[in-house]
Amino acid sequence: MSKQFQFKLVLLGESAVGKSSLVLRFVKDQFDDYRESTIGAAFLTQTVTLDDQTIVKFEIWDTAGQERYKAPMYYRNANCAVVVYDITQASSLDKARTWIRELQRQADPSIVIALCGNKTDLTARRQITQEEAKKYADEEGLMWFETSAKTGEGVSEVFTAIAKKLPLSAPSSRTNAARGTAAARQGVDLNRQTTTQGSNEACNC
Amino acid sequence: MRGNVGKNVSITPRGQIEQLQIFGDLTCTDLTGMSHRQVDLVKSFLRPSENTTVTLNVEVEPGNVESYGGGQADTNTEALQCGRRLLSIVTHDDGVFEEARWVLAPLRKPGTLDESNNQLQIKTTSPITGDVSLTVAQAKQQSLENLPSPASPTIPGVSVFTLTINSNSEDVSSQTFITSDIQKLRKFSAEYRRLKAIAAKVVDLRTKIIPLHERLSKATAGLPGNDLRDISTVRDEWIRKASIAKATVGTKSLRLRLGSFNVNGKIPSQDLSPWLRGVAAKKSTGQPWISPLEPLSPLGPLCDLLPEEKDEDDLLTKSSANATPEMKGVDPDIFVLGFQELDMSTEALLYATSPIKEEMWTTAIFAGLGEKGILYEKLVSTQLVGMLLIVIVKKALRSCFNDVRFCYAGAGIMGFMGNKGATAVRLEFTPTSSGVSELASTQPIALTFVNAHLAAFDEMVERRNYDFHDLSARLTFPSAGGTGYDDTLNLYQSDVLFWMGDLNYRINLSDSDIRAILTSYPDGDSGVQHIVAYDQLRNAIRSNEAFSHFVEHPITHFPTYRYGAGLSRDLLGYDTKRKPAWTDRIMYMPSPDIDLKQLGYGSHPEITLSDHQPISADFHIPVAIINKGTYEEHTCGLHRELSEYDQSKKPRIKVQTANLDFGPIFYRRPTKKALVLLNDGDIPCVFRFLSAAPDTPVAPSWLHIEPMVGLLRPKETVAVTTVAYVDDAAASKLNLRPPKLECTLILHTALGKDHFISVSGYYQYTCFVNTLERLARLPGPIRNLKTPEDLMPSTQALNAPREIMRLINWMMTNSLSETDTFFGRPARRKLCTVIRECLDTGEEFPTVTAESDRSDLCAAVASTLVAFLDSLVVPVIPPSLHARCLQVRDRETAFELLDEFPRESINVWISLTAFLHYVGQQGSASGKAGSRSISSKALHLAMLFAPILLRDDPSGEFPRVSLIGKRDFLLYFIA
């Protein structure tokens, strides 16, 4: 029988860089040209099956990017974070850097962080070069990707790559499961977990 | 694998299914002996949180097939095929509450169970309530004969039993089944009885008073709790409230008079009518001479706030619960009288008590009731040694009182003897309504009364607290019998719990202080108010050491203990050997559903036969007349509507107001904003507010949300009330921060999204709740500050804060001839707010011409001065100096001590005492001219200002000093 693991993933980044669109593409393989901006946080799940038949289930928290919401710590206990910027907005990389600094300071030290430049379909309006972002990611030891939620280019690769990088061995010995929710645990083995909280598979936004 | 409930369950017509939650701690019984396939089959219809505890194979009694909704049975064959059923008891365990019901599922094709899962349908579900009963009997011969026994594999033809489920509700007809599985049947009925017993029991008051949002699972943003459990908790509470609202057909006013009397072993030698029928004594004569400080509880629930907004101009006086017109001229429906020390003989301790004393006092009570006596009769009494509790009710209502139970427990010598302890009575009152005759039955309310006598002596506080907890646990009402299961009830399984008696709590002030305060202020209630603050029982309640969540009406009467007859007495009649105290008390703890009002509380000094004075309290309880049938009908209907569980649909709430901008936010002035939520999804939706991180509050201290939790049906909207209100605690922080206020509220939808609501406002600095030192360094009116740091260097500080000087100057110049108007009248709240605002902004005080307006203004300015001083973060004389103030023995040393004061305090103190001296002089000039004694006015002023100017340190770093000592220190300056 194939192994199953469950991880908490949080999406962060400036407003309007395409966080919700990225999730919608990943979870439902859809794209919506006129999405309302997220005012809050939505919870979704999606699974990724790796080559060795290991199944990784992501519990995804899509959060609001607007500055005026003093964003609460949705990255608390997250196993991985996708920090998104818009390749056509120079300022969005600055905001991404701010988020990454905060994650490095406040989040779980073992967190896997992926930096993701979205909107490659608008390459004509590109303001952030691949070299610049890649260099920054290398310096900080982050994974780096470019995607287009609109065309779907590179989207599933981000999540698959994260799934591969996550520690799929024995669950961590750290006892951050005090709250008892599956989300709070590191790499929960679903085969051993008969009931899991929040089994909604579909988008609820 | 779990079945998709939404698809497979056949919902029977309206009225056939009902559910009711059952409270209790249930454990799942094992399923041994049950075919695992069948268990799985039943389980596939259930929600993940549901469990089958017992499943029974039954057959429908022939001839009964059609009546229970088993479908059209045209032919014998079909009837037979419809005859086999699975009967399950299902419990819904969410960790706190459990919901139980039985489920009936027909097996359409006997023998083909395995292949035909989809043939199984839930036909009926019914809650296990107190109204449903189950009977088991040996099957009648004729039933057996009609059965196709050979054809049925479930009936081997040995012992066959019938099982009948009856319901008082019209909607569910009785149903009879047959089974031969006796063992399982026994288990089934045992489980059924157990659940029913739990359903019948009243929920513990200590559970009821926990607000709904605190009963939900712990959760913060990004770390959801147990949403499924929370949904069921919120839904059940919502259904209960909605059903009560629908089923309430009227109200019966129940009036109670409670009395407590420690008779010190005496016989009833006096007329008791003042105690039984008289108005309880209040020492205050008319208007309080000194207008009290903020009478509002700083915040309390939001409902406390809103009236202030509605009617801002009400007088700054206590809400007088006394002498409500409702009570006048209306006789109580029920008297509950508690006696202590009825019998002080040694034999009484050791042997069973003789009823002689009880008879004597009962006779005296009826004599005291006078011509009204014939309207009443004794319902019950219970005695333990000297403690007697008598319940007397109106004869006309006698039939409304039922399930009367009583108990007692000793807590005296060796921990159980009856010289101390308690007696208790629990009764149920079922309101009847003459106008609504078609009512089948109405729901009763349960009232519990405790009459206690706790450990004596000043220093035994901890023993008294222990006695309370001990008696709370040990006083239980045994089963009334006849129900067939144990239904012992504890004290808290009631709608209102009254606790009275000689609780023996004393006053944490020195003997001389208490007497001095009481004798100095015999005409007003100011003396009593000052002492009440030091009452041991009040302290125990405040610190949660005993009587947590009990309510006691404000005390306005003098201490009831100890009056001496022939002993050495002080001027007020108190025994000089015992510290006076409010040993005798009456308290209550109501369910949040009960709108109890206390109409009076006081002592009866006319009755002097004992060393205690008797006390009494009047209560009014509006008892809702709830039609049981309608209640259950609505409960079942709403459960059906709200419990449908369809995983394909998502809860969706739309926040209509994403931003709450409060604009300017003022100290102690509530600003209200509505936050409108809409359920724009297809299923009912539960929402709650979450905090951003663990162990942080949902909202900052200046923001209040009501309700914190709610349920919305599809297309329903709710306006959540948010109130920005800055109390003293919040102001002490906000005064030192930049004025822009911002926060984000997180609204969580159970099993759905989180919404962010950004809240903003602009705090308006106030001179209240500051330090004198900071105020003296303000460059101008505090409202002009751009940042909290815009202060002058301390070297350039003023001699005294300009706010306080403005108040004093105004009073000195504006009302030389009528100083009485300063502290002699209650102030108007609205005017006080205006004056405070003038101090904050630097604007001129309002001017008035009419004489009455002028007095109002004077009272408001004076009241503002008192409130201002009381709000200071550090009192005018810091606690570190209090002990030295009390060592002062003469005027000269008192003035010398001034040099030790902080710089800002010196000038405030001198100006203020000069002013008070002047006011005090004015009062006495007309009276005892030339007398060297201290004027009563000066005494009053000193008593009002001393505890404010020398406020105790709440941290306890500096020990509390005598109140009279503080007063005397102030008198050196103002007398």
Side-chain angles (χ1 to χ4, degrees), chain A residues 8 38-43 61 64 68-74 76-77 179 181 184 195 197 199-200 202-205, chain B residues 2 218-227 650 652 658-659 692-694 742 744 746 751-758:
Chain A
K8 177 172 174 179
T38 307
I39 302 175
F43 175 76
W61 284 93
R68 65 183 167 134
Y69 302 111
K70 307 270 166 270
M73 297 159 66
Y74 279 92
R76 205 184 299 110
N77 293 339
R179 302 191 60 85
T181 65
T195 50
Q197 212 270 314
S199 57
N200 28 338
C203 175
N204 60 12
C205 40
Chain B
R2 295 213 150 89
K218 278 209 187 329
T220 52
L223 288 181
N226 187 343
D227 274 352
K650 290 289 159 200
R652 278 160 59 105
N659 292 299
E742 276 178 305
T744 300
I746 303 158
L751 298 175
K753 273 179 75 163
D754 290 359
H755 295 266
F756 292 170
I757 297 122
S758 68

Side-chain angles (χ1 to χ4, degrees), chain B residues 206-223:
Chain B
R206 290 166 292 191
T207 307
K208 276 195 206 170
I209 57 169
I210 302 171
L212 184 58
H213 65 268
E214 286 175 28
R215 279 187 248 157
L216 302 184
S217 61
K218 278 209 187 329
T220 52
L223 288 181

Side-chain angles (χ1 to χ4, degrees), chain B residues 661-680:
Chain B
D661 186 358
F662 282 96
I665 295 173
F666 295 89
Y667 167 68
R668 282 190 180 271
R669 275 156 71 178
T671 319
K672 205 164 86 173
K673 291 261 173 212
L675 173 64
V676 182
L677 309 178
L678 161 74
N679 180 351
D680 69 346

Side-chain angles (χ1 to χ4, degrees), chain B residues 139-325:
Chain B
K140 282 182 217 136
Q141 199 51 42
Q142 68 191 85
S143 314
L144 286 176
E145 279 167 9
N146 291 340
L147 264 182
S149 297
S152 172
T154 55
I155 298 178
V158 197
S159 297
V160 181
F161 287 82
T162 63
L163 174 88
T164 308
I165 296 170
N166 296 302
S167 171
N168 294 344
S169 163
E170 291 166 74
D171 295 322
V172 180
S173 52
S174 60
Q175 305 177 26
T176 304
F177 309 100
I178 296 170
T179 183
S180 60
D181 190 344
I182 299 158
Q183 222 182 345
K184 195 66 69 57
L185 178 63
R186 212 171 272 153
K187 213 177 203 175
F188 186 90
S189 64
E191 176 74 357
Y192 201 93
R193 275 204 312 274
R194 196 171 63 84
L195 292 168
K196 205 188 131 189
I198 293 163
K201 275 193 183 172
V202 185
V203 187
D204 196 299
L205 272 176
R206 290 166 292 191
T207 307
K208 276 195 206 170
I209 57 169
I210 302 171
L212 184 58
H213 65 268
E214 286 175 28
R215 279 187 248 157
L216 302 184
S217 61
K218 278 209 187 329
T220 52
L223 288 181
N226 187 343
D227 274 352
L228 285 174
R229 193 188 110 186
D230 294 343
I231 288 172
S232 120
T233 307
V234 175
R235 183 191 62 207
D236 292 351
E237 181 69 11
W238 190 90
I239 289 174
R240 193 181 63 83
K241 286 212 167 123
S243 304
I244 287 176
K246 291 270 188 198
T248 302
V249 292
T251 325
K252 154 77 186 147
S253 279
L254 189 67
R255 289 181 167 79
L256 300 91
R257 180 156 198 148
L258 270 62
S260 173
F261 193 6
N262 181 324
V263 299
N264 193 29
K266 300 289 191 302
I267 56 162
S269 55
Q270 269 181 312
D271 175 20
L272 299 181
S273 62
W275 178 40
L276 298 166
R277 301 172 65 187
V279 174
K282 288 202 336 177
K283 278 291 175 182
S284 48
T285 48
Q287 294 261 0
W289 188 76
I290 290 161
S291 57
L293 299 174
E294 283 294 316
L296 279 181
S297 65
L299 187 69
L302 285 172
C303 50
D304 281 2
L305 276 176
L306 305 179
E308 185 188 18
E309 206 179 18
K310 212 164 47 202
D311 178 19
E312 276 198 29
D313 210 17
D314 58 341
L315 294 176
L316 268 176
T317 46
K318 286 183 290 296
S319 59
S320 174
N322 289 304
T324 309

Side-chain angles (χ1 to χ4, degrees), chain B residues 50-68:
Chain B
E50 288 175 332
N51 234 321
T52 53
T53 58
V54 187
T55 298
L56 190 64
N57 274 298
V58 293
E59 300 219 8
V60 176
E61 187 184 46
N64 196 13
V65 175
E66 282 165 51
S67 68
Y68 74 102

Side-chain angles (χ1 to χ4, degrees), chain B residues 337-405:
Chain B
L337 304 170
F339 294 89
Q340 305 87 33
E341 297 193 3
L342 201 68
D343 196 338
M344 307 230 315
S345 60
T346 344
E347 304 87 77
L349 266 178
L350 301 173
Y351 312 114
T353 42
S354 76
I356 299 172
K357 291 253 182 171
E358 177 180 340
E359 275 165 29
M360 213 186 269
W361 282 99
T362 309
T363 310
I365 290 165
F366 276 93
L369 288 173
E371 76 282 2
K372 305 272 190 186
I374 51 158
L375 298 174
Y376 293 92
E377 67 178 73
K378 189 172 100 176
L379 180 74
V380 64
S381 68
T382 172
Q383 187 175 357
L384 172 67
V385 191
M387 290 164 284
L388 169 69
L389 185 58
I390 303 183
V391 180
I392 289 164
V393 300
K394 264 193 182 151
K395 282 178 183 164
L397 293 172
R398 174 63 188 85
S399 59
C400 299
F401 294 98
N402 31 54
D403 195 9
V404 178
R405 308 182 187 196

Side-chain angles (χ1 to χ4, degrees), chain B residues 667 701 726-736 763 766 768-769:
Chain B
Y667 167 68
S701 61
V726 177
D727 61 7
D728 282 29
S732 66
K733 295 192 185 87
L734 296 181
N735 277 338
L736 304 177
Y763 178 61
T766 180
F768 278 55
V769 207

